[in-house]
Amino acid sequence: MAQFHTDLVAHVSSAAGEAPAAPKCFKCKKDEVEAIVARDNAIVWICPNCGVEGRTSNWQGTLWDLRDRPRRR
């Protein structure tokens, strides 16, 4: 479960075009989850295959928050 959340944060917080793939659903393990950042800055995600969904909050400033990392050249 921890790996799912770290991969989710890295995916959502990366610059467009450099984002790692979205993590696969931890429940069905079949599809990548769809995720967005909500108005309250929580990451809201859902699995399009099995429908499991959730919210990840307090991710800003963690090691996996890639927003302030320099872009690759």
Side-chain angles (χ1 to χ4, degrees), residues 41-56:
N41 289 321
I43 299 171
V44 179
W45 55 269
I46 186 166
C47 174
N49 185 58
C50 71
V52 70
E53 60 187 15
R55 293 174 55 85
T56 302

Side-chain angles (χ1 to χ4, degrees), residues 6-73:
T6 59
D7 292 346
L8 181 70
V9 170
H11 170 72
V12 170
S13 65
S14 291
E18 295 182 11
K24 288 198 183 251
C25 177
F26 63 86
K27 184 176 180 183
C28 72
K29 299 179 181 5
K30 292 182 180 177
D31 256 329
E32 292 179 347
V33 298
E34 298 171 358
I36 61 166
V37 177
R39 286 186 179 183
D40 64 356
N41 289 321
I43 299 171
V44 179
W45 55 269
I46 186 166
C47 174
N49 185 58
C50 71
V52 70
E53 60 187 15
R55 293 174 55 85
T56 302
S57 58
N58 299 319
W59 57 271
Q60 299 90 340
T62 64
L63 280 173
W64 307 278
D65 179 359
L66 305 179
R67 293 176 299 163
D68 294 330
R69 303 254 169 108
R71 288 182 162 221
R72 289 184 181 174
R73 292 181 187 212

